[in-house]
Each structure stands twice: as C-alpha cells, then as structure tokens.
Amino acid sequence: MDGKELNTLLSVVGQLSRLAVSSNESLAQSIKAVFKLFDQLDSVTDLPEEEMVYPTSSQIRIQEVFEPENIPQSCLLDQVPSKNGPFIECPLIVEDDS
Amino acid sequence: MTLDLTFKAIGEILKKKENRLKIFADLYANYLRTRTTNAIVYWNFNPEEFENSQMEKSGFLSNVPVVVKDNILTKGIPTTAASRILLNYVPPYNATAVEKIIQAGAIIVGKSNLDEFGMGSRNQNSFFGPCKNPWNLEYVSGGSSGGSAVAVSCRICSFALGSDTGGSVRLPASYCGCYGLKPTYGKVSRFGLIAFGSSLDQIGVMATDIETCAKALEFISGFDRNDATTVQHEPYSFEEVINSPLPLKIGYLDLEEYSGSINPSIKRVYEYVIEFFETQGISVVPVKLKTIEYAIPCYYIICTAEAASNLSRYDGIRYGWNRSDTEKHDGCDLNEYYTRIRTEGFGEEVQRRIILGNFVLSAGYHGRYYQKALRLRTAIFREFESIFEECAALLLPTAPDLPPKIDDNRRDVIKDYLMDIFTVCANLCGYPALSFPAGFSDTGFPIGIQIYAKQFREDIIYRLAWLFESNHSFHKAVPPVLFQ
C-alpha cells in the first residue's frame, strides 16, 4: 500500500470511526508506522485454518450460550456478537423467560 | 512508612478498633506522602468519618483497604477509565469483582490512575497526567494499571484490582516491585470492567506478597451469569497449594535470540531465578518459541479490532462527558457532533487504536489482517500447549527493559508496543501469568520475572512463587518516595 492510498484510507476510516484524523498529522504518521509492524504478518505462512476468537475454554461456552435457541427474548438481539468477530459487549441481562 | 498490609499481618489486628484506626491513619499518611506519584485519581476514604462511623464489618475481607483501577465500575464512586469522554461518570452498579469484595467487608479507599481505557504500557496516556514510579519520580510506573501498582508498593492498600489486556497488571507490577497476577481468561468476571479487548481483558490482583495476591484472586473468581465467558472452577486453597509437591520440570524462554534487546540487569536477574529453581531440585529446561516473534502484531491487530468495536458506544450523548457549549455546535449535524465529541474526548493513543481497529476490519483488509491474526493466535496457542505437555510452567522476563523516563514529547509508538513482547501471549492464549519481584537493577529499579501456566493452573504459579518468596525478601523493599 503506498502513501497516497493509505492517506485516502485513513480519511475514510477516520470518518467511519467518527474521529477527525485528517487534522492530526502525528496521529496519521504513527498509524502508518504501526501498519509496517502489522505487515510483518505477510511473511507468515502455514497457519492453521482455525481462528481463535476466544481462548479455548471460554470459546466453547460462548458458542453454546449464543446458539439461537439459547438466547432469551429479553437479551438485546442486535448486540449479540457473531461467532467470528469482535463485538460490542453484550450486557447480557438475562431474565428467565420461562 | 513501612506499613505491612498483607493478609498475614493484618488478619487478626484489624478486628480491634484501636488497631484499625492506627492502620488506616498510617495508610492515609502514606497516601498523602506519595501524592506526587499521581497514583490515585479519586480518594474515597475520610479518616475522621471512618473514626466516627465505628465501622464493624464482618466477612473475609473485613475492613481490608483496597484500591480499584478506575476502569472497574464502583457504584456511586466516579469511574472514568482516565478518559475525558467519561469525565464525571458515576456508575449505578458495581462490577462483580467489586461487589464481591465489598460484600466481604473490604473498604475501597481509592480509584487508581491508568492509561486511558487501559491502552498503554507507561501509564502516560491518562487524562489525569502520568503516574510516576515511586522508585524514581522521573520515570514511568508502567501501564496500564500503574496507579494500582504504585498504591500497593506505597502501602496504601492491602491489594489492588487492576485489569490486564496485554500485560497491564504485570508490567507495572514489575516496574514498581510488587506482585501482579493475571488469571486464566474466564476465571474472574469481566462484568463491570470497562471493555477494551473483550477476548483478552481480565481483572487481576496486585499485592506485596503472594499469599494476599492469591487469596484475593481466588476470592473474586467464579462463574457469573452476567459474563458468559466465565467458567466455574473450584477456588484453590492457598494453604493446600503451598504444601503440595513441587513441579518436577519447568521451562524458561531461551533469550539467545533477544540478547541484544534485553537489558543486562533483567538478564542477570532472570538467570538468577532460573538457577534458584534448579537448586530447589526442579528440572529447568530452555524453551524456544517460534511464534512469539509475531505475537506483537497479532495482539495489536486483535486488540485494536475489539477496541474499535467496544469504544463505538462513546458518543457524548448517552453518558459521560459532552459539550454544553452549544454555540460551537450550532448548525452541526449529528454525525459532526459525534466526530467533535470523540475527537475532543479521546486521547491520541485511543484514537490511534480505534482507527487501526476499524482499518483492520474494513472490507479488503479483514482477511489480510484480522483473520490472519486469529489464525496466528491459534498457532501461538498450539505452540504453548506443546510446551506445557512437557513443562508444568514457563519462566519469562516481564519486560525487556527497565522503566523509561517520563517524556511528554515521545512519539515512538512501536517501541512502546514492543515492551509487551513477553506479556501478550498470556492474553492471546488465556493463560494465567504472574509477575513477581525477583531482584533489582544496577540503577535501583525493581525487576519482575513472570511465571506462565496452563489454563486454570494458578496453583502451580502460587507454589513456585511461594518457594521463591520464602527464600528472598525483594517483595519487602519499600520505595524511597515514602521517605521523602
């Protein structure tokens, strides 16, 4: 990714993040430096297919809890995390629907 | 003042009112004496009120003074995560860990300084200003739980609660000369901990001795219906653990590949610790970790992705800080208002991480960064698991270098991120890890060494730490700021 492309992306992501990035040059520069660190992963090969979202013991439980049939109506469905992604913490104020 | 606030020292003493008043007067004096460190952002204890209230509390932690990191919710006590965006926020409920200790009779004497939302390894990214190292006020305390580490080292409390997303309990514990314990992911409820990286965050405990640290941690642990990631696990009895047999074999990270980047004092202390465990009849074998080289980019991709999502809730409308200066917002639409509030409300490090997180999750880059990091996380976990098939525990330095000087003009973000190299793997893999005081540098700073163990094997960590503590007195050293 060249500097121009990165600048454009930073501007777009800044808007998505609801942050005024373009007015802060040192922030933009440091973000570029961090991406050089992230790009070290380009050289990594032979990775396992499995993606670890949670450390194992909890991952099993999370998947059980968030199976659709286990989600109580009282839980805010639009905040339930997907299995694959980061998420907004669900407060899980679970009430007994029975 | 060399006040001893360990469970062992105060257990019986606190039962008598006159002793209690003396101890709380002394810890209050310590607080006043060490205010230059900027460790406490909200002091919640009034000695006169305490004396008049004649508090008689019962419970496991009856009248035990505790400091809580300011990103852990405390009902009726301001909780800001050291961010302008949460300025004046007063939570309507307690975090589960806080509720447990209050129910057991503990007294929350103060809320401690931190890097904003726990993002940093120096405790310099705080809206309240940097937290200073009590061993030398020109240096950082370490972060992000710097205030908790300083409060423990300065004998302001028996133990402190911190949070650890990538080493935030262990790094300041190492810099300030106390114990810092991050439990297994899922052992302690995160309900009421202001979220930063949800798959990495854990509430941890800091104390001046392993007994207090372990007992406090075991007490706050357990399943919580408000946190779906908690796991029911029988708490360990400290007395049983320290009388159990020693592990036969432990590993230590071979530092050959890092020789140029490890501070000589840390290397010296690390080698001493290895030798000590060998002399105790434990087989201590060198271990190489191929994947640790990529642990930092892996960790920062995951934690920024989760932070971007978690921090999207702060918009200056529902709670926390907002702009009542309507003139400046005349005519701006809702999106512009959000942008202004968030740009003014978040510090630079938080903004950086939100943007990085949204970037690595964006279409076109999701597979290259975020998904790859999740797969690498699996690879790191598998490599550690293979080590734990042979070794009961693993020794590592806590930090590669001594505390840096407080420098307001610093902007070397990468150098800061690399300070987490030996701590982030415990968070990525969900392992328990302890930093214990193991020596001093040539320049007089405490040095901590880490013990990692398999998930839910805190008992092995307690056993090894107890063995070391029983033969040394580094944990009893008191920082010079108390005598200034």
Side-chain angles (χ1 to χ4, degrees):
Chain A
M1 191 180 331
D2 64 24
K4 196 177 170 188
E5 192 186 0
L6 194 58
N7 276 336
T8 309
L9 272 169
L10 272 181
S11 170
V12 172
V13 177
Q15 286 172 34
L16 280 174
S17 313
R18 290 172 170 159
L19 288 165
V21 196
S22 53
S23 60
N24 190 336
E25 182 59 25
S26 75
L27 185 65
Q29 289 301 329
S30 66
I31 287 171
K32 289 176 195 173
V34 178
F35 267 97
K36 283 187 185 158
L37 182 74
F38 288 179
D39 286 341
Q40 286 178 9
L41 295 195
D42 288 346
S43 61
V44 186
T45 52
D46 296 332
L47 286 174
E49 283 303 312
E50 294 85 345
E51 295 172 358
M52 184 192 275
V53 181
Y54 282 91
T56 324
S57 62
S58 297
Q59 188 155 5
I60 297 162
R61 188 177 162 72
I62 272 279
Q63 286 175 354
E64 283 170 4
V65 169
F66 290 115
E67 285 301 327
E69 64 273 20
N70 294 338
I71 299 172
Q73 289 301 309
S74 53
C75 190
L76 299 174
L77 289 175
D78 61 347
Q79 289 191 16
V80 173
S82 77
K83 284 179 186 174
N84 295 322
F87 52 86
I88 294 175
E89 191 83 356
C90 175
L92 255 189
I93 302 169
V94 180
E95 289 163 14
D96 189 356
D97 291 318
S98 60
Chain B
M1 187 178 289
T2 56
L3 183 60
D4 189 349
L5 293 169
T6 61
F7 282 178
K8 193 177 177 185
I10 61 173
E12 288 301 309
I13 295 174
L14 279 179
K15 287 179 183 165
K16 287 188 179 173
K17 190 190 168 195
E18 59 270 26
N19 293 337
R20 223 162 37 227
L21 295 178
K22 171 80 172 65
I23 283 176
F24 275 82
D26 287 348
L27 78 83
Y28 184 60
N30 282 351
Y31 160 67
L32 295 176
R33 203 172 282 131
T34 60
R35 273 202 294 192
T36 46
T37 61
N38 199 22
I40 303 293
V41 296
Y42 186 86
W43 185 248
N44 189 49
F45 174 75
N46 182 324
E48 285 173 14
E49 275 180 22
F50 180 68
E51 192 171 346
N52 295 332
S53 66
Q54 306 217 353
M55 263 181 224
E56 291 298 335
K57 293 189 169 189
S58 59
F60 171 67
L61 297 173
S62 172
N63 288 295
V64 169
V66 181
V67 162
V68 176
K69 188 177 179 179
D70 202 32
N71 63 347
I72 302 174
L73 302 194
T74 41
K75 185 178 178 179
I77 304 173
T79 302
T80 65
S83 180
R84 187 185 204 183
I85 211 154
L86 278 175
L87 211 58
N88 303 324
Y89 173 63
V90 181
Y93 65 96
N94 282 322
T96 299
V98 171
E99 185 65 25
K100 281 189 176 186
I101 61 171
I102 288 177
Q103 289 299 326
I107 296 173
I108 310 290
V109 294
K111 301 295 296 284
S112 59
N113 204 348
L114 68 150
D115 282 302
E116 187 177 359
F117 286 101
M119 298 180 189
S121 53
R122 290 176 174 237
N123 206 151
Q124 233 186 297
N125 304 326
S126 166
F127 177 70
F128 301 104
C131 180
K132 297 173 184 175
N133 193 305
W135 295 85
N136 185 332
L137 295 173
E138 291 182 6
Y139 289 77
V140 302
S141 61
S144 63
S145 311
S148 292
V150 175
V152 166
S153 297
C154 293
R155 275 63 175 176
I156 292 170
C157 56
S158 278
F159 68 90
L161 297 183
S163 67
D164 193 313
T165 307
S168 289
V169 159
R170 291 161 284 156
L171 201 65
S174 174
Y175 286 177
C176 297
C178 64
Y179 288 83
L181 176 59
K182 183 205 91 75
T184 304
Y185 185 85
K187 188 175 171 84
V188 175
S189 171
R190 291 179 297 113
F191 184 70
L193 168 66
I194 293 176
F196 159 21
S198 303
S199 76
L200 304 155
D201 293 337
Q202 272 292 280
I203 289 178
V205 173
M206 300 157 109
T208 54
D209 70 323
I210 186 61
E211 181 178 352
T212 306
C213 198
K215 286 183 173 175
L217 192 278
E218 293 300 323
F219 185 76
I220 61 171
S221 70
F223 174 74
D224 178 14
R225 67 197 296 270
N226 290 321
D227 176 1
T229 60
T230 50
V231 176
Q232 185 57 46
H233 195 272
E234 196 63 28
Y236 289 109
S237 153
F238 187 75
E239 282 72 21
E240 282 178 21
V241 167
I242 59 173
N243 289 309
S244 64
L246 285 168
L248 297 174
K249 188 176 176 183
I250 62 174
Y252 70 90
L253 180 66
D254 188 344
L255 294 182
E256 199 181 341
E257 288 168 36
Y258 313 92
S259 54
S261 50
I262 305 288
N263 181 286
S265 289
I266 294 176
K267 195 162 180 276
R268 169 177 52 77
V269 170
Y270 185 55
E271 286 167 356
Y272 171 75
V273 171
I274 293 165
E275 198 181 314
F276 168 77
F277 283 120
E278 279 173 340
T279 61
Q280 301 300 309
I282 301 171
S283 171
V284 191
V285 296
V287 161
K288 283 188 187 294
L289 285 164
K290 280 191 299 180
T291 53
I292 201 171
E293 183 185 348
Y294 301 108
I296 288 290
C298 174
Y299 166 77
Y300 275 96
I301 287 170
I302 291 170
C303 82
T304 55
E306 295 185 5
S309 185
N310 277 323
L311 272 62
S312 62
R313 75 189 72 174
Y314 301 107
D315 53 18
I317 290 178
R318 282 176 290 181
Y319 47 77
W321 180 76
N322 58 38
R323 290 290 300 263
S324 54
D325 186 356
T326 49
E327 272 184 31
K328 288 197 174 178
H329 293 292
D330 259 358
C332 81
D333 64 19
L334 188 62
N335 272 329
E336 204 178 328
Y337 179 79
Y338 285 152
T339 303
R340 284 186 192 178
I341 285 287
R342 286 165 65 83
T343 305
E344 292 169 11
F346 289 132
E348 186 166 315
E349 182 60 31
V350 176
Q351 292 190 34
R352 181 162 32 245
R353 294 194 191 198
I354 291 172
I355 289 167
L356 285 165
N358 279 318
F359 208 138
V360 298
L361 289 172
S362 58
Y365 295 95
H366 183 267
R368 179 176 170 187
Y369 294 116
Y370 182 64
Q371 282 183 318
K372 195 161 192 180
L374 293 182
R375 291 168 62 196
L376 187 54
R377 189 177 187 177
T378 308
I380 293 169
F381 179 70
R382 286 182 184 170
E383 190 175 24
F384 270 90
E385 285 292 284
S386 69
I387 287 163
F388 286 133
E389 280 177 16
E390 299 285 321
C391 304
L394 182 64
L395 298 172
L396 302 95
T398 305
D401 208 350
L402 300 174
K405 250 187 161 174
I406 294 172
D407 176 6
D408 292 332
N409 298 317
R410 73 188 174 83
R411 281 281 73 92
D412 191 346
V413 178
I414 305 297
K415 197 176 172 188
D416 278 4
Y417 287 4
L418 291 174
M419 289 298 272
D420 300 333
I421 179 83
F422 299 125
T423 51
V424 294
C425 291
N427 303 80
L428 288 169
C429 302
Y431 293 135
L434 172 82
S435 177
F436 64 97
F440 283 87
S441 73
D442 300 338
T443 49
F445 283 109
I447 291 174
I449 298 297
Q450 278 186 109
I451 309 171
Y452 275 37
K454 269 179 87 83
Q455 290 179 359
F456 296 103
R457 291 311 306 266
E458 280 84 357
D459 58 323
I460 296 171
I461 292 176
Y462 302 156
R463 184 69 187 91
L464 290 168
W466 172 254
L467 177 67
F468 190 87
E469 186 181 287
S470 306
N471 289 277
H472 299 86
S473 55
F474 299 118
H475 63 292
K476 291 182 180 168
V478 179
V481 71
L482 274 169
F483 303 103
Q484 286 170 2

